[in-house]
């Protein structure tokens, strides 16, 4: 497939996600347009992780569409194919479960994800952790932010080995809050 076709496939995913998330905002103090998040996740995969796999980049852009919009997995498969559907499915929480159970399931399921889903999950966590360093979401205490860092380390810790550079960057961000990725516990400091 030529470069123009590849670019078109990625832009198709960006456009799809932008339309699906068009009325959504992040919970940060700036009320950032939600679409910045999935685009940023894909960008981190490419720029920082060196990921060029088109299905992974498309899945990164689409990773929250089923969780946070009326999009279905069947719709993703019809538009982007079974591989993108599978990656997004592996990265999506079951919204019928209580929030704490969804968080527990992410820790349990992390070691069983495919490498491609792990890559998207790495970049998603990296983006969210960096966001928390910049702006605390409305209603979040510093304790809740710290709990998110510790929980993220547990999730990512179950997926190690997918991309050394992204793991290194995750470790740096986690360490900035006194959390270790490899020890899965808070460090003294």
């Amino acid at each position: 497939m030529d470069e123009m076709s590849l670019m078109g496939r990625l832009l198709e995913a960006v456009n799809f996600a932008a339309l699906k998330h068009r009325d959504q905002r992040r919970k940060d103090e700036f009320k950032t347009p939600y679409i910045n998040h999935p685009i940023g996740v894909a960008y981190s995969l490419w720029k920082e992780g060196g990921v060029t796999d088109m299905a992974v980049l498309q899945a990164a852009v689409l990773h929250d569409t089923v969780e946070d919009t009326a999009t279905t997995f069947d719709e993703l498969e019809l538009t982007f194919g079974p591989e993108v559907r599978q990656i997004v499915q592996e990265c999506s929480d079951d919204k019928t479960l209580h929030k704490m159970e969804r968080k527990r399931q992410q820790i349990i399921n992390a070691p069983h994800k495919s490498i491609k889903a792990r890559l998207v999950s790495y970049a998603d966590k990296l983006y969210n952790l960096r966001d928390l360093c910049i702006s605390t979401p409305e209603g979040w205490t510093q304790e809740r932010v710290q709990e998110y860092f510790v929980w993220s380390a547990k999730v990512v810790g179950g997926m190690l080995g997918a991309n050394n550079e992204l793991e290194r960057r995750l470790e740096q961000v986690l360490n900035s809050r006194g959390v270790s990725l490899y020890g899965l516990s808070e460090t003294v400091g």
Side-chain angles (χ1 to χ4, degrees):
M1 190 172 284
D2 67 18
E3 189 175 327
M4 289 299 289
S5 296
L6 289 172
M7 188 183 322
R9 288 176 58 203
L10 184 56
L11 289 172
E12 182 180 14
V14 171
N15 185 64
F16 183 95
L19 291 171
K20 295 293 186 170
H21 293 294
R22 71 180 165 268
D23 296 325
Q24 296 174 334
R25 298 279 180 182
R26 296 282 279 177
K27 295 177 182 174
D28 60 25
E29 66 181 286
F30 310 110
K31 303 284 186 258
T32 308
Y34 193 87
I35 191 61
N36 291 12
H37 169 68
I39 292 171
V41 170
Y43 182 75
S44 289
L45 280 168
W46 172 75
K47 182 73 173 179
E48 298 174 279
V51 175
T52 58
D53 183 294
M54 184 53 62
V56 173
L57 296 174
Q58 285 180 304
V61 171
L62 301 165
H63 79 276
D64 280 334
T65 55
V66 174
E67 266 187 43
D68 296 337
T69 75
T71 307
T72 65
F73 290 117
D74 288 341
E75 183 179 3
L76 285 182
E77 185 168 348
L78 280 170
T79 308
F80 301 102
E83 185 177 21
V84 171
R85 176 204 174 124
Q86 180 60 40
I87 297 167
V88 172
Q89 203 160 359
E90 287 184 70
C91 295
S92 296
D93 286 344
D94 178 351
K95 291 290 224 168
T96 65
L97 300 175
H98 184 271
K99 183 178 181 177
M100 293 310 292
E101 179 59 19
R102 290 192 311 260
K103 290 175 81 77
R104 191 178 80 78
Q105 288 297 317
Q106 278 199 39
I107 295 168
I108 291 168
N109 294 330
H112 309 290
K113 285 185 175 186
S114 67
I115 294 296
K116 292 180 179 193
R118 289 177 187 206
L119 291 169
V120 173
S121 294
Y122 277 9
D124 182 33
K125 292 291 183 273
L126 183 59
Y127 190 98
N128 286 335
L129 292 168
R130 286 175 172 164
D131 248 12
L132 286 172
C133 290
I134 296 167
S135 175
T136 303
E138 288 181 3
W140 281 43
T141 63
Q142 285 304 309
E143 181 179 305
R144 184 170 176 192
V145 170
Q146 190 67 18
E147 288 170 359
Y148 187 89
F149 271 72
V150 171
W151 169 76
S152 293
K154 290 176 182 175
V155 173
V156 174
M159 301 185 288
L160 296 177
N163 184 294
N164 291 336
E165 185 57 28
L166 290 173
E167 287 174 19
R168 187 182 70 75
R169 290 172 190 265
L170 279 158
E171 177 70 1
Q172 287 175 335
V173 175
L174 289 165
N175 283 342
S176 75
R177 294 297 295 241
V179 178
S180 172
L181 173 59
Y182 301 102
L184 299 181
S185 62
E186 293 187 62
T187 58
V188 178

